[in-house]
């Protein structure tokens, strides 16, 4: 199913949503807040603003990014007060933005021109953010402070590394490495040391929480 509009970040209060028997027919990615009251998702909004596929809940949806650009990959801060997300500036530039959950106080925290920054994830304590960037040519795993300062390329490899997630203690980052036709899940310390291959099963990284799925895997010291 094709959609002609741009992607938006929206919010629905789950206390209201649970009272509706609905089906979301568009491709949806959910990110639950800590208090399990709100759910963020991205979907292509049609140019005319009338989406027949979600007309039964359209009055419940609040668009919090309100921009003509594509906004995707939303992620809650651990305290549930803020979100980070990817904003597409143009074909060669996307940035990581941060805002309050009500959409106020939006600002660009990566500020990297002519490169792709995407899929941001907060650390468990909320002080760090890991994300993907191609500013060095290929897709690498980066880490930065929650304000966007101290951006550090952790992987620095000729391969592509994507979908980073923090381990439960925040000391390691788990990600998918793609090298030609080979794929595997790796871990690396948050300072860029101790790169280790964990498994050849990339499906684990597509779960709601890869860190939990890999709880029984030895992540190393």
């Amino acid at each position: 199913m094709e959609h002609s509009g741009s992607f938006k970040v929206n919010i629905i209060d789950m206390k209201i949503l649970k009272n509706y028997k609905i089906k979301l027919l568009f491709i949806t990615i959910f990110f639950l807040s800590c208090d399990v009251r709100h759910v963020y998702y991205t979907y292509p909004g049609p140019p005319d603003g009338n989406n027949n596929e979600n007309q039964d809940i359209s009055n419940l949806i609040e668009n919090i990014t309100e921009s003509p650009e594509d906004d995707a990959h939303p992620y809650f801060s651990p305290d549930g007060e803020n979100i980070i997300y990817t904003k597409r500036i143009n074909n060669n530039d996307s940035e990581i933005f941060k805002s309050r959950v009500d959409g106020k106080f939006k600002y660009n925290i990566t500020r990297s021109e002519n490169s792709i920054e995407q899929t941001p994830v907060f650390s468990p304590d909320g002080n760090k953010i890991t994300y993907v960037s191609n500013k060095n040519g290929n897709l690498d795993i980066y880490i930065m402070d929650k304000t966007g300062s101290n951006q550090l390329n952790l992987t620095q490899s000729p391969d592509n590394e994507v979908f980073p997630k923090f381990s439960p203690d925040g000391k390691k980052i788990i990600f998918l490495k793609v090298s030609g036709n080979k794929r595997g899940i790796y871990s690396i310390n948050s300072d860029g040391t101790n790169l280790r291959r964990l498994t050849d099963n990339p499906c684990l990284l597509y779960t709601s929480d890869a860190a939990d799925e890999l709880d029984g895997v030895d992540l190393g010291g």
Side-chain angles (χ1 to χ4, degrees):
M1 182 178 299
E2 294 184 356
H3 297 267
S4 58
S6 59
F7 283 79
K8 305 300 177 188
V9 174
N10 300 268
I11 187 170
I12 301 177
D13 192 318
M14 290 186 64
K15 288 184 177 179
I16 299 176
L17 185 62
K18 69 180 181 180
N19 295 325
Y20 284 72
K21 295 181 179 179
I22 60 173
K23 293 183 178 179
L24 302 180
L25 301 180
F26 42 82
I27 297 176
T28 305
I29 304 175
F30 290 95
F31 296 82
L32 297 180
S33 67
C34 299
D35 59 5
V36 198
R37 289 186 56 244
H38 300 93
V39 56
Y40 280 85
Y41 62 91
T42 60
Y43 78 100
D48 60 5
N50 297 317
N51 189 338
N52 292 329
E53 292 177 354
N54 67 328
Q55 60 182 355
D56 291 338
I57 61 169
S58 60
N59 61 320
L60 305 177
I61 298 175
E62 178 186 355
N63 175 233
I64 62 171
T65 48
E66 298 179 342
S67 69
E69 299 89 3
D70 285 339
D71 301 311
H73 314 131
Y75 199 93
F76 272 95
S77 60
D79 60 9
E81 296 294 325
N82 299 282
I83 62 164
I84 47 178
Y85 58 94
T86 304
K87 177 180 286 292
R88 178 179 177 271
I89 308 302
N90 55 53
N91 290 337
N92 299 313
D93 186 12
S94 65
E95 303 283 353
I96 306 302
F97 272 65
K98 181 180 179 181
S99 79
R100 297 288 301 272
V101 293
D102 58 7
K104 296 180 179 179
F105 307 110
K106 306 179 186 72
Y107 65 99
N108 181 349
I109 61 174
T110 44
R111 302 178 298 279
S112 300
E113 295 183 358
N114 299 319
S115 63
I116 301 299
E117 278 75 36
Q118 61 186 16
T119 57
V121 176
F122 272 109
S123 61
D125 63 7
N127 290 324
K128 298 287 185 178
I129 295 172
T130 184
Y131 62 103
V132 171
S133 174
N134 73 344
K135 65 176 64 178
N136 282 350
N138 56 291
L139 297 173
D140 289 315
I141 305 299
Y142 280 70
I143 191 172
M144 63 181 171
D145 296 340
K146 63 181 179 181
T147 59
S149 58
N150 298 316
Q151 297 177 15
L152 174 65
N153 185 341
L154 297 179
T155 49
Q156 302 185 50
S157 80
D159 301 318
N160 288 316
E161 293 88 23
V162 292
F163 304 124
K165 292 179 179 290
F166 279 95
S167 60
D169 60 8
K171 294 181 179 180
K172 296 181 180 294
I173 295 172
I174 302 162
F175 60 91
L176 177 66
K177 176 187 280 286
V178 180
S179 179
N181 295 325
K182 296 181 179 180
R183 300 185 179 188
I185 296 179
Y186 285 70
S187 73
I188 194 169
N189 291 348
S190 59
D191 62 0
T193 61
N194 195 25
L195 175 67
R196 298 182 68 245
R197 186 184 185 96
L198 301 179
T199 174
D200 293 330
N201 181 9
C203 295
L204 288 181
L205 215 58
Y206 294 91
T207 61
S208 60
D209 195 333
D212 287 344
E213 293 289 339
L214 291 168
D215 186 53
V217 178
D218 179 16
L219 299 180

